[in-house]
Amino acid sequence: MVRVPGRQLHVQAGDLLGDEAYRDEMVATARQEIAAMVPDRSWMQWAAHLAPTITIAAITAWPDAGQPDPETAAKRIRQTVVAVVDAACRPPAS
């Protein structure tokens, strides 16, 4: 089950990513959160589209990996999103 504010969904990750209206909602929410952190609009859009995808992939991969360290799983998933935002904010290292 995927928990979303106000909703409980029994779906696979592919179902969420394939639902265009729901995906648009996730991207819009990510855009609101990321806009102030990423000055370049094109990279902000990239991060806003990638953040929901990587979050869903991380959540669905966790059970497949044997549910390692449940106490730290959410923090690790958050770190993946932070890495996306960080990549959008800075030029790549040489």
Side-chain angles (χ1 to χ4, degrees):
M1 175 172 28
V2 177
R3 294 182 192 268
V4 177
R7 299 183 189 178
Q8 288 189 354
L9 305 172
H10 296 275
V11 293
Q12 298 293 322
D15 295 337
L16 286 177
L17 295 175
D19 180 340
E20 195 169 329
Y22 188 69
R23 178 161 179 71
D24 290 347
E25 267 186 66
M26 290 188 295
V27 170
T29 300
R31 189 179 299 116
Q32 288 175 338
E33 296 298 320
I34 293 170
M37 295 180 267
V38 182
D40 183 291
R41 181 165 162 58
S42 296
W43 285 112
M44 182 273 297
Q45 291 281 54
W46 173 79
H49 280 83
L50 184 55
T53 302
I54 201 165
T55 301
I56 291 168
I59 290 167
T60 58
W62 183 71
D64 293 341
Q67 300 180 346
D69 302 319
E71 317 73 49
T72 64
K75 289 179 183 177
R76 289 174 188 261
I77 291 168
R78 184 178 187 283
Q79 286 176 332
T80 66
V81 176
V82 169
V84 167
V85 174
D86 186 51
C89 289
R90 302 191 250 171
S94 302

